[in-house]
Amino acid sequence: MRKWIITVLCLLSLPLAAQDKDHNFNVAKNLDVFNAIYKNLDLMYVDSLDANEVVGNGIKAMLGSLDPYTVYYPAEKVKDLKELYTGKFAGIGALIRYLPKLNYTVVDEPYKNMPAAEAGLKKGDMILSIDGESMKGKNTQYVSDHLRGDAGTSFMLKIKRPSTGKEMKMKVTRKMIQEPVIVYYGMWKDHIGYLNLHQFTENCAKDVRKAFIDLKNQGMKGFVLDLRNNGGGSEQEAVNIVNIFVPKGVTIVSNRGKLKRVNKDYKTTVEPVDTVMPMVVLVGGNTASSSEITSGSLQDLDRAVIMGTRTFGKGLVQMTLDLPYNGNLKLTTNKYYIPSGRCIQAINYNHANGGYVEHVPDSLTKVFHTAHGRVVRDGGGIKPDVEVQPDSMPNIAAYLEYVDSANVMMNYEVDYIAAHKTIAPPAEFELTDADYEEFKQRVLKSNFKYDRESEKCFKDLVKLAKFEGYYDDAKEEFARLEKKLNHNVAKDLDFHKPVIKQLLENDIITAYYYQEGATQNALRYDKQMKAAVDLLNKPEEYQKILAPVTKK
């Protein structure tokens, strides 16, 4: 009997051994073929080949068939990888943008206490040259590369200030730049604390802990953690932030992959600051990675109400490997699982046929349960407990902000800033009706045009009606509808005045009070923030959402 069992086990193991052997053979074969092809190309191809470019393209194509997070960094690009993980780089500390009409890149937003602000650069300043090299016609990336460098190095910057027409030269010294981790925190209405976390970089949890304790000392009775537009970062920092609100010794996230030695469980390691204060976490479509670990764990542990819209759905973990010749490979090694046991990865990356992606449909997601027995699902990101859609940006506002080649909005803001040495505090500042009317007249005089969605839909409807043979019978109705949908910029500017006015105010406030002030001002109009505050002021409704599920 024993001999029979051993024989069966040996037979069962044969297919696996054969698969391993086939796999190893295919790997060796394809590497040999690749090597032989390039050797022959280099020896016999009609033109000389650049090995970095040809082989580099081969590497990019290979990694491109996997997922967007697996990336090769040659030695000259390793600095970019370090910036990605630390959020730090050496430069002047300013957002810049290229304006086609001017054919120059301009300063859009200097950061507080950074070289750009210290040198006196302002919104709208045209970057004419860097160390004597003209920046005319150079795109944003080119200018950015020349503004960056080693910390402590200096360069000569020549700019033109549009409000005065003057050209100025200044010596600017680069230093290590890090965007604010906490964009803004403070006490809001009804003793509700608010904190906007921008990214999960090294030691950010310590900053969040300090801010939370400060708000508690100010008398905070409810807390809003804003993770909208937070693309993530350090997994450990996400665990440390969750630890502020849940007890020591709780498993927050588990990494599982092919190699057991890189699997890891992350637990909370210190005593929390507060485990009972009512809490709302704001999320959206740009909430990803470590932000989803934070919001998903707090949801699974029934520690907070998640509010907003469904998150991005990145459930993959990357690590870096050193490569020959000082290169690095950032590669996906694991999926992560939050306390309920679910992985919230929204996209399957298939590697056949050159690689393609497919979104996990809701019908194929599986049910999991929170600590209190509430139903949650895997795949497709974190679905909020309370869904609140944000206000959408109308088409005309998007065109004015990002597309308008005449730059009417920026020019108005630059002139407004030049004419006002100071403005009211962020929570109080507001443009007058007269200010907005002046802006409106500028837009109309500039002959501003934009593509209206209603116009696009109308044209598509006409095409469809003609194709199906209905157009001739309804020709008069179509003509009347087209007349009603006639392009009227003045009417659209009036109709969308509240949103456009908010955009103008936000940009102007940023020039005086930086990102902190802009965030504070934007909260006044924030529909999702209002819903969060309303919920925290209704304890019974809040508790009902997180209440344990009674088993039938």
Side-chain angles (χ1 to χ4, degrees):
M1 181 70 175
R2 185 181 176 190
K3 186 177 179 181
W4 180 81
I5 293 172
I6 293 173
T7 303
V8 171
L9 288 173
C10 288
L11 288 170
L12 288 173
S13 68
L14 282 175
L16 186 59
Q19 286 176 17
D20 288 343
K21 188 176 180 181
D22 288 346
H23 174 77
N24 293 336
F25 171 74
N26 285 327
V27 170
K29 180 186 77 172
N30 283 286
L31 288 174
D32 284 344
V33 170
F34 183 87
N35 190 41
I37 288 173
Y38 187 76
K39 279 185 176 179
N40 283 291
L41 287 172
D42 193 45
L43 181 67
M44 300 170 61
Y45 188 68
V46 64
D47 294 321
S48 296
L49 299 179
D50 181 338
N52 291 329
E53 182 179 353
V54 176
V55 178
N57 287 337
I59 292 170
K60 288 177 184 176
M62 176 174 62
L63 300 183
S65 69
L66 304 179
D67 65 69
Y69 314 111
T70 299
V71 182
Y72 166 58
Y73 292 85
E76 63 272 16
K77 294 288 185 181
V78 167
K79 188 185 289 186
D80 296 342
L81 181 62
K82 290 179 181 177
E83 289 177 11
L84 180 68
Y85 278 106
T86 64
K88 297 177 182 177
F89 59 91
I92 67 169
L95 292 177
I96 58 176
R97 64 190 287 193
Y98 176 73
L99 299 183
K101 187 177 181 181
L102 298 177
N103 204 20
Y104 279 101
T105 294
V106 303
V107 175
D108 194 26
E109 180 188 330
Y111 293 148
K112 187 177 182 180
N113 299 325
M114 291 294 130
E118 291 169 352
L121 291 176
K122 296 182 180 297
K123 185 182 183 75
D125 286 348
M126 294 167 55
I127 300 174
L128 300 180
S129 67
I130 298 172
D131 274 340
E133 181 185 348
S134 173
M135 292 294 119
K136 185 175 182 179
K138 307 297 185 184
N139 61 28
T140 304
Q141 187 60 56
Y142 187 90
V143 177
S144 177
D145 290 342
H146 282 68
L147 291 174
R148 292 188 181 194
D150 294 328
T153 59
S154 300
F155 64 95
M156 289 304 298
L157 179 67
K158 185 179 180 182
I159 64 151
K160 181 177 181 180
R161 182 149 294 162
S163 58
T164 62
K166 290 183 179 179
E167 294 185 2
M168 293 179 276
K169 280 186 178 180
M170 57 191 72
K171 185 179 181 181
V172 183
T173 302
R174 301 178 181 95
K175 71 177 183 180
M176 291 305 296
I177 308 297
Q178 182 170 10
E179 292 184 53
V181 174
I182 297 176
V183 178
Y184 165 73
Y185 84 89
M187 193 68 75
W188 205 241
K189 302 171 184 175
D190 304 320
H191 298 283
I192 302 300
Y194 171 86
L195 187 147
N196 184 308
L197 184 65
H198 178 61
Q199 54 188 333
F200 285 79
T201 50
E202 194 175 358
N203 295 320
C204 71
K206 291 180 181 178
D207 295 333
V208 174
R209 180 180 284 262
K210 287 178 186 175
F212 184 79
I213 291 171
D214 183 24
L215 290 170
K216 279 195 75 172
N217 291 337
Q218 293 181 45
M220 175 173 62
K221 295 179 180 177
F223 180 56
V224 178
L225 175 61
D226 192 346
L227 297 181
R228 295 171 295 180
N229 299 310
N230 186 320
S234 167
E235 193 175 19
Q236 182 62 63
E237 292 301 317
V239 176
N240 294 343
I241 287 174
V242 174
N243 198 173
I244 298 171
F245 311 107
V246 304
K248 179 180 177 181
V250 178
T251 300
I252 300 302
V253 62
S254 301
N255 293 349
R256 296 292 180 266
K258 188 184 291 182
L259 293 179
K260 288 186 178 180
R261 62 185 172 85
V262 297
N263 291 346
K264 186 174 181 180
D265 294 330
Y266 290 85
K267 295 177 181 285
T268 51
T269 57
V270 299
E271 295 301 326
V273 176
D274 192 309
T275 60
V276 295
M277 181 173 292
M279 181 174 170
V280 170
V281 181
L282 295 177
V283 298
N286 293 323
T287 302
S289 186
S290 298
S291 292
E292 293 176 295
I293 292 174
T294 302
S295 55
S297 297
L298 292 170
Q299 184 180 54
D300 283 357
L301 298 169
D302 295 302
R303 177 60 188 90
V305 170
I306 311 304
M307 180 181 287
T309 56
R310 188 178 295 204
T311 63
F312 181 81
K314 181 179 181 288
L316 305 175
V317 181
Q318 287 72 45
M319 66 179 293
T320 58
L321 293 178
D322 293 332
L323 295 178
Y325 304 101
N326 302 314
N328 273 113
L329 178 65
K330 178 170 70 75
L331 77 159
T332 300
T333 55
N334 300 90
K335 289 183 177 180
Y336 70 75
Y337 300 83
I338 49 181
S340 64
R342 58 182 170 144
C343 175
I344 51 86
Q345 177 64 22
I347 298 175
N348 286 329
Y349 296 98
N350 295 281
H351 311 141
N353 303 318
Y356 62 96
V357 301
E358 60 181 9
H359 284 263
V360 179
D362 287 343
S363 59
L364 294 183
T365 59
K366 297 174 184 176
V367 169
F368 292 80
H369 295 90
T370 70
H372 289 169
R374 297 186 300 131
V375 170
V376 288
R377 304 187 79 95
D378 67 354
I382 305 297
K383 187 177 179 182
D385 302 308
V386 180
E387 185 171 350
V388 180
Q389 292 290 336
D391 288 322
S392 58
M393 182 182 288
N395 211 23
I396 186 172
Y399 266 73
L400 284 166
E401 182 80 44
Y402 305 113
V403 183
D404 177 26
S405 60
N407 311 314
V408 181
M409 180 172 274
M410 175 173 269
N411 291 339
Y412 173 81
E413 291 163 357
V414 167
D415 290 344
Y416 187 95
I417 293 163
H420 297 79
K421 255 191 173 180
T422 60
I423 60 171
E428 301 170 17
F429 175 73
E430 192 171 345
L431 290 173
T432 65
D433 289 339
D435 292 330
Y436 186 78
E437 183 61 30
E438 181 190 342
F439 170 72
K440 174 184 168 182
Q441 293 306 318
R442 285 196 184 199
V443 175
L444 296 176
K445 288 175 184 176
S446 73
N447 199 28
F448 167 78
K449 288 182 172 61
Y450 73 100
D451 294 329
R452 292 165 300 132
E453 291 301 316
S454 58
E455 187 175 39
K456 290 178 184 177
C457 291
F458 175 78
K459 288 179 179 178
D460 289 340
L461 181 61
V462 169
K463 285 181 183 178
L464 187 60
K466 286 180 178 179
F467 175 76
E468 295 183 342
Y470 299 125
Y471 180 75
D472 290 337
D473 292 339
K475 198 170 184 179
E476 291 182 8
E477 287 84 351
F478 273 113
R480 285 196 294 270
L481 180 59
E482 185 176 20
K483 193 174 181 180
K484 288 182 178 179
L485 295 175
N486 188 37
H487 201 80
N488 190 329
V489 175
K491 180 181 176 183
D492 292 344
L493 286 168
D494 288 336
F495 185 78
H496 296 293
K497 177 180 175 179
V499 177
I500 298 171
K501 193 158 159 281
Q502 287 172 36
L503 288 174
L504 290 166
E505 290 169 359
N506 209 255
D507 287 347
I508 291 168
I509 285 172
T510 303
Y512 294 88
Y513 300 105
Y514 304 97
Q515 291 178 323
E516 181 181 357
T519 302
Q520 190 177 359
N521 177 71
L523 289 176
R524 295 191 299 169
Y525 310 104
D526 193 327
K527 192 167 96 175
Q528 292 174 325
M529 177 62 178
K530 183 180 182 302
V533 172
D534 287 345
L535 179 62
L536 290 170
N537 282 321
K538 298 173 182 175
E540 290 183 5
E541 190 174 324
Y542 175 88
Q543 293 298 336
K544 187 178 179 181
I545 294 170
L546 300 177
V549 175
T550 305
K551 292 183 179 180
K552 295 182 181 179

